[in-house]
Amino acid sequence: MTRKVTKAIFPVAGMGTRFLPATKSVPKEIMTLVDRPLIQYAIDEARAAGIKEFIFVTSRGKGALEDYFDHAPQLEAQLRAKGKTKLLEMLETTNMESGAIAYIRQHKALGLGHAVWCARRLIADEPFAVILPDDVIAGEKPCLQQMVEAYEETGGNMVAAMEVAPEKTSSYGILDVETDMGSMVRVRGMVEKPPVETAPSNLAVIGRYILSPTVLENLNNVDRGAGGEIQLTDAIAAEIQSDKGVYGYRFKGQRFDCGSKSGFLQATVAFGLARDDLREDLSAYLHDIVSMGKAAE
Ligand code: G1P
């Protein structure tokens, strides 16, 4: 029997330089897709997967992120007084149970592995999830929930996986596949951001993980890896030889790289089109500009 996964780490300490100047004062995770901040998508996905404890690894300047998860008594009172029940209900879905969120500060930007290691005392000896809010995944069943279900069969360590264009391997952790079982692969190696020439495959790690607590111990020992940073990929790779093993899970759903401007814009359009209140206007507009573009050719 695998132990239930009830804790998740959200590494949110990054400076978000790709979105400057916006990120001068707005944490990247508060940037909105339609009307919900990126972090809300990550939290909703975690909740759907049964996560009860939410651990944010933050840094300087992320105050707005902490405030976002606080109750907003004045705003709520105003909405109540005006009888805006729909808005009130929507706001309430963002409230978190007291004590469910913990914030840990990452004092130095030493990489994703280091950020996760900063949360080690709160994880203690339980399996845990890691969600990178930059990777937004739309799907009928939320990605982490799919993984939790698969993990109940395998135990060990599991990473979300997706085929990427071969020339993109240098942007991802890449899996060396030992056995391919279709929706799941067993992994015999993992490399962080290999150039296309040496990449063992084009099966990339996407920002959802279910990890054994021993990964946190491995993080004590891994050397600095790609980019001079302490890499989570290297600490997971150290698990491959253990009896627990490492699995890649090909999730069902569409992933948007909201760490890039183009990915963010694509997600905005896709999530806009998915909304009943916006679909008609937005698709008419998109249709118009696309046909105008064609006419100009
Ligand atoms: C991180 C991980 C990488 C993974 C990627 C997924 O990289 O280090 O292994 O493939 O997230 O988005 P980052 O994008 O933070 O550089």
Side-chain angles (χ1 to χ4, degrees):
M1 261 275 289
T2 55
R3 205 165 155 184
K4 253 190 154 13
V5 185
T6 60
K7 296 181 178 175
I9 301 176
F10 301 79
V12 289
M15 292 205 300
T17 46
R18 277 195 269 182
F19 285 93
L20 280 170
T23 44
K24 242 170 100 180
S25 66
V26 184
K28 181 175 62 170
E29 299 76 20
I30 291 292
M31 293 186 13
T32 57
L33 290 177
V34 190
D35 50 14
R36 287 145 56 84
L38 279 187
I39 196 67
Q40 186 68 54
Y41 292 89
I43 291 283
D44 289 349
E45 186 177 331
R47 276 177 164 160
I51 299 297
K52 304 281 182 245
E53 290 179 54
F54 304 79
I55 303 163
F56 287 80
V57 183
T58 67
S59 61
R60 197 171 294 263
K62 298 277 179 172
L65 194 59
E66 297 192 18
D67 290 347
Y68 177 79
F69 287 109
D70 214 348
H71 288 238
Q74 264 185 336
L75 180 59
E76 285 172 22
Q78 268 187 26
L79 293 175
R80 202 167 295 120
K82 289 185 178 156
K84 304 213 165 181
T85 17
K86 272 239 158 77
L87 281 180
L88 203 58
E89 275 167 23
M90 187 262 286
L91 212 56
E92 275 163 6
T93 64
T94 67
N95 288 346
M96 303 291 282
E97 197 197 330
S98 291
I101 295 195
Y103 299 95
I104 296 270
R105 198 84 164 223
Q106 185 188 22
H107 292 109
K108 289 185 189 162
L110 294 178
L112 177 59
H114 180 257
V116 167
W117 178 80
C118 288
R120 65 199 178 282
R121 293 203 174 84
L122 291 177
I123 298 295
D125 64 349
E126 293 180 34
F128 61 100
V130 178
I131 296 190
L132 308 186
D134 272 3
D135 281 329
V136 175
I137 303 172
E140 227 163 88
K141 190 183 276 186
C143 179
L144 191 64
Q145 191 184 344
Q146 297 175 37
M147 288 172 69
V148 162
E149 287 171 11
Y151 170 81
E152 278 163 11
E153 307 292 316
T154 61
N157 297 275
M158 186 173 284
V159 299
M162 179 183 113
E163 259 75 33
V164 297
E167 67 275 13
K168 293 273 163 80
T169 55
S170 59
S171 302
Y172 296 94
I174 297 292
L175 302 179
D176 189 357
V177 175
E178 181 181 80
T179 326
D180 196 330
M181 297 161 274
S183 64
M184 191 117 74
V185 302
R186 193 170 170 125
V187 168
R188 67 166 164 232
M190 276 175 94
V191 205
E192 181 67 9
K193 306 201 167 91
V196 57
E197 299 78 28
T198 58
S201 76
N202 66 336
L203 190 58
V205 176
I206 301 302
R208 302 289 183 275
Y209 306 78
I210 298 175
L211 301 175
S212 144
T214 44
V215 169
L216 299 169
E217 290 165 31
N218 302 344
L219 281 166
N220 285 319
N221 305 318
V222 294
D223 294 327
R224 290 194 185 212
E229 296 187 333
I230 298 171
Q231 296 293 352
L232 185 59
T233 298
D234 298 341
I236 302 171
E239 290 285 285
I240 293 171
Q241 300 312 329
S242 76
D243 52 359
K244 294 189 259 348
V246 177
Y247 298 87
Y249 181 77
R250 289 193 183 95
F251 56 92
K252 291 182 192 68
Q254 192 179 0
R255 174 254 184 179
F256 297 95
D257 174 12
C258 290
S260 81
K261 287 173 205 166
S262 159
F264 199 96
L265 288 171
Q266 288 168 32
T268 301
V269 173
F271 282 83
L273 288 174
R275 287 264 298 248
D276 291 342
D277 54 337
L278 299 171
R279 189 178 305 114
E280 205 176 312
D281 267 9
L282 183 59
S283 60
Y285 172 71
L286 291 173
H287 189 266
D288 279 0
I289 50 172
V290 169
S291 48
M292 255 160 35
K294 278 198 183 129
E297 271 169 20

PDB file of all heavy atoms in Angstrom, residues 8 34 42 44 49 86 121 154 168 203 256 275:
ATOM      1  N   ALA A   8       1.875  19.293  -0.745  1.00  0.00           N
ATOM      2  CA  ALA A   8       2.454  19.720  -2.030  1.00  0.00           C
ATOM      3  C   ALA A   8       3.321  20.953  -1.823  1.00  0.00           C
ATOM      4  O   ALA A   8       2.984  21.843  -1.027  1.00  0.00           O
ATOM      5  CB  ALA A   8       1.362  20.018  -3.045  1.00  0.00           C
ATOM      6  N   VAL A  34      -7.227  35.042 -17.981  1.00  0.00           N
ATOM      7  CA  VAL A  34      -8.598  35.558 -17.958  1.00  0.00           C
ATOM      8  C   VAL A  34      -8.812  36.354 -16.652  1.00  0.00           C
ATOM      9  O   VAL A  34      -8.505  37.524 -16.628  1.00  0.00           O
ATOM     10  CB  VAL A  34      -9.662  34.473 -18.199  1.00  0.00           C
ATOM     11  CG1 VAL A  34     -11.025  35.127 -18.403  1.00  0.00           C
ATOM     12  CG2 VAL A  34      -9.309  33.650 -19.436  1.00  0.00           C
ATOM     13  N   ALA A  42      -3.033  26.200 -10.019  1.00  0.00           N
ATOM     14  CA  ALA A  42      -2.189  25.178  -9.384  1.00  0.00           C
ATOM     15  C   ALA A  42      -2.836  24.662  -8.102  1.00  0.00           C
ATOM     16  O   ALA A  42      -2.852  23.451  -7.831  1.00  0.00           O
ATOM     17  CB  ALA A  42      -0.810  25.771  -9.086  1.00  0.00           C
ATOM     18  N   ASP A  44      -6.078  24.704  -7.317  1.00  0.00           N
ATOM     19  CA  ASP A  44      -7.274  23.916  -7.628  1.00  0.00           C
ATOM     20  C   ASP A  44      -6.890  22.500  -8.062  1.00  0.00           C
ATOM     21  O   ASP A  44      -7.539  21.528  -7.702  1.00  0.00           O
ATOM     22  CB  ASP A  44      -8.092  24.596  -8.738  1.00  0.00           C
ATOM     23  CG  ASP A  44      -8.768  25.864  -8.235  1.00  0.00           C
ATOM     24  OD1 ASP A  44      -8.779  26.097  -7.008  1.00  0.00           O
ATOM     25  OD2 ASP A  44      -9.277  26.635  -9.077  1.00  0.00           O
ATOM     26  N   ALA A  49      -6.552  16.699  -6.361  1.00  0.00           N
ATOM     27  CA  ALA A  49      -5.747  15.484  -6.201  1.00  0.00           C
ATOM     28  C   ALA A  49      -5.691  15.028  -4.743  1.00  0.00           C
ATOM     29  O   ALA A  49      -5.000  14.068  -4.423  1.00  0.00           O
ATOM     30  CB  ALA A  49      -4.340  15.733  -6.732  1.00  0.00           C
ATOM     31  N   LYS A  86     -23.170  35.895  -6.260  1.00  0.00           N
ATOM     32  CA  LYS A  86     -22.364  35.095  -7.201  1.00  0.00           C
ATOM     33  C   LYS A  86     -20.877  35.386  -7.014  1.00  0.00           C
ATOM     34  O   LYS A  86     -20.057  34.473  -6.935  1.00  0.00           O
ATOM     35  CB  LYS A  86     -22.763  35.419  -8.659  1.00  0.00           C
ATOM     36  CG  LYS A  86     -23.906  34.577  -9.167  1.00  0.00           C
ATOM     37  CD  LYS A  86     -23.459  33.796 -10.416  1.00  0.00           C
ATOM     38  CE  LYS A  86     -24.316  32.577 -10.673  1.00  0.00           C
ATOM     39  NZ  LYS A  86     -25.613  32.867 -11.254  1.00  0.00           N
ATOM     40  N   ARG A 121      11.645  20.173   6.222  1.00  0.00           N
ATOM     41  CA  ARG A 121      11.143  19.911   7.582  1.00  0.00           C
ATOM     42  C   ARG A 121       9.622  19.791   7.606  1.00  0.00           C
ATOM     43  O   ARG A 121       9.055  19.126   8.452  1.00  0.00           O
ATOM     44  CB  ARG A 121      11.604  21.013   8.535  1.00  0.00           C
ATOM     45  CG  ARG A 121      13.097  20.990   8.723  1.00  0.00           C
ATOM     46  CD  ARG A 121      13.544  21.640  10.007  1.00  0.00           C
ATOM     47  NE  ARG A 121      14.977  21.446  10.164  1.00  0.00           N
ATOM     48  CZ  ARG A 121      15.900  22.226   9.607  1.00  0.00           C
ATOM     49  NH1 ARG A 121      15.554  23.262   8.884  1.00  0.00           N
ATOM     50  NH2 ARG A 121      17.185  21.965   9.781  1.00  0.00           N
ATOM     51  N   THR A 154       1.998   2.237  -8.579  1.00  0.00           N
ATOM     52  CA  THR A 154       3.448   2.077  -8.716  1.00  0.00           C
ATOM     53  C   THR A 154       4.229   2.383  -7.439  1.00  0.00           C
ATOM     54  O   THR A 154       5.251   1.769  -7.173  1.00  0.00           O
ATOM     55  CB  THR A 154       4.011   3.050  -9.780  1.00  0.00           C
ATOM     56  OG1 THR A 154       3.748   4.393  -9.362  1.00  0.00           O
ATOM     57  CG2 THR A 154       3.408   2.806 -11.144  1.00  0.00           C
ATOM     58  N   LYS A 168      14.026  21.192 -28.538  1.00  0.00           N
ATOM     59  CA  LYS A 168      13.650  21.855 -27.277  1.00  0.00           C
ATOM     60  C   LYS A 168      14.181  21.122 -26.033  1.00  0.00           C
ATOM     61  O   LYS A 168      13.890  21.520 -24.900  1.00  0.00           O
ATOM     62  CB  LYS A 168      12.116  21.944 -27.173  1.00  0.00           C
ATOM     63  CG  LYS A 168      11.478  22.866 -28.195  1.00  0.00           C
ATOM     64  CD  LYS A 168      11.460  24.280 -27.655  1.00  0.00           C
ATOM     65  CE  LYS A 168      11.233  25.357 -28.665  1.00  0.00           C
ATOM     66  NZ  LYS A 168       9.956  25.626 -29.099  1.00  0.00           N
ATOM     67  N   LEU A 203      11.429  12.862 -24.487  1.00  0.00           N
ATOM     68  CA  LEU A 203      10.365  12.780 -23.473  1.00  0.00           C
ATOM     69  C   LEU A 203      10.763  13.678 -22.294  1.00  0.00           C
ATOM     70  O   LEU A 203      11.722  13.386 -21.572  1.00  0.00           O
ATOM     71  CB  LEU A 203      10.168  11.323 -23.037  1.00  0.00           C
ATOM     72  CG  LEU A 203       8.946  11.046 -22.165  1.00  0.00           C
ATOM     73  CD1 LEU A 203       7.648  11.463 -22.849  1.00  0.00           C
ATOM     74  CD2 LEU A 203       8.874   9.562 -21.795  1.00  0.00           C
ATOM     75  N   PHE A 256       0.361  24.283 -21.117  1.00  0.00           N
ATOM     76  CA  PHE A 256       0.782  25.609 -21.580  1.00  0.00           C
ATOM     77  C   PHE A 256       1.994  26.031 -20.776  1.00  0.00           C
ATOM     78  O   PHE A 256       1.986  25.956 -19.546  1.00  0.00           O
ATOM     79  CB  PHE A 256      -0.345  26.627 -21.367  1.00  0.00           C
ATOM     80  CG  PHE A 256      -1.574  26.317 -22.171  1.00  0.00           C
ATOM     81  CD1 PHE A 256      -2.621  25.598 -21.611  1.00  0.00           C
ATOM     82  CD2 PHE A 256      -1.680  26.731 -23.492  1.00  0.00           C
ATOM     83  CE1 PHE A 256      -3.753  25.297 -22.356  1.00  0.00           C
ATOM     84  CE2 PHE A 256      -2.811  26.437 -24.247  1.00  0.00           C
ATOM     85  CZ  PHE A 256      -3.841  25.718 -23.677  1.00  0.00           C
ATOM     86  N   ARG A 275     -14.571  29.592 -21.877  1.00  0.00           N
ATOM     87  CA  ARG A 275     -15.550  30.221 -20.974  1.00  0.00           C
ATOM     88  C   ARG A 275     -16.841  30.575 -21.707  1.00  0.00           C
ATOM     89  O   ARG A 275     -16.819  31.270 -22.726  1.00  0.00           O
ATOM     90  CB  ARG A 275     -14.931  31.502 -20.420  1.00  0.00           C
ATOM     91  CG  ARG A 275     -13.852  31.234 -19.394  1.00  0.00           C
ATOM     92  CD  ARG A 275     -14.420  31.303 -18.017  1.00  0.00           C
ATOM     93  NE  ARG A 275     -14.927  32.623 -17.763  1.00  0.00           N
ATOM     94  CZ  ARG A 275     -14.379  33.481 -16.879  1.00  0.00           C
ATOM     95  NH1 ARG A 275     -13.334  33.132 -16.187  1.00  0.00           N
ATOM     96  NH2 ARG A 275     -14.901  34.664 -16.697  1.00  0.00           N
TER      97      ARG A 275
END
